[in-house]
Amino acid sequence: MSDSFATDVLDITTGATERVVDLTGECEQFLTRTASGRDGLLNIFVPHATAGIAILETGAGSDDDLLATLHHLLPADDRWQHRHGAPGHGRDHVLPALVPPHATLPVIGGRLELGTWQSVCLVDTNRDNPRRQVRLSFLG
């Protein structure tokens, strides 16, 4: 593999509740190991049909607001055609259409370029699958 490309997989346990998990620290640690002061792109990808990646403020209620909004837009009831799993699980399979399973972000001088209040987050509403993988890839 080229020196200009590096990749790693994070194993994340989200538990039995809907969660927004801040991955910013893990992304920064990955870049410290792989970017070596270079410019490039960080791609964050979750290879699951029921989770997504969001860039948002955390810790000030925005993560809870996102989950509340998803509850409003995607109620956990029996309206969904996709019916295996817990009641309302079909909504989890619609989630990636609203919160995509990936994000690509600029890296300048080996550092993630986020706005002051922005964080990289895993969004997981699927209570049936408490273990997730997130692939981080740097191209620079």
Side-chain angles (χ1 to χ4, degrees):
M1 202 151 302
S2 167
D3 286 340
S4 63
F5 180 78
T7 191
D8 197 7
V9 175
L10 304 174
D11 291 308
I12 307 293
T13 300
T14 56
T17 61
E18 298 175 355
R19 296 212 24 221
V20 174
V21 180
D22 189 340
L23 302 176
T24 309
E26 287 89 342
C27 291
E28 290 169 342
Q29 290 172 12
F30 170 73
L31 291 172
T32 297
R33 292 190 312 271
T34 61
S36 304
R38 293 178 288 157
D39 296 347
L41 296 171
L42 174 66
N43 181 264
I44 305 102
F45 175 70
V46 56
H48 299 281
T50 58
I53 299 294
I55 309 300
L56 73 153
E57 179 180 4
T58 59
S62 296
D63 36 355
D64 291 332
D65 289 342
L66 174 60
L67 291 175
T69 298
L70 292 172
H71 273 279
H72 179 73
L73 294 173
L74 305 171
D77 58 23
D78 64 357
R79 73 182 70 204
W80 307 100
Q81 297 298 313
H82 189 106
R83 294 185 186 265
H84 78 273
H89 174 64
R91 78 183 191 112
D92 299 325
H93 287 274
V94 178
L95 173 78
L98 301 176
V99 181
H102 60 87
T104 300
L105 302 171
V107 176
I108 306 298
R111 298 191 54 152
L112 191 57
E113 285 292 305
L114 289 171
T116 302
W117 303 111
Q118 290 180 317
S119 296
V120 178
C121 298
L122 169 67
V123 179
D124 186 4
T125 60
N126 182 0
R127 295 168 297 176
D128 293 340
N129 186 358
R131 300 192 58 185
R132 298 298 184 164
Q133 291 188 327
V134 178
R135 178 168 295 281
L136 305 177
S137 299
F138 173 71
L139 179 63

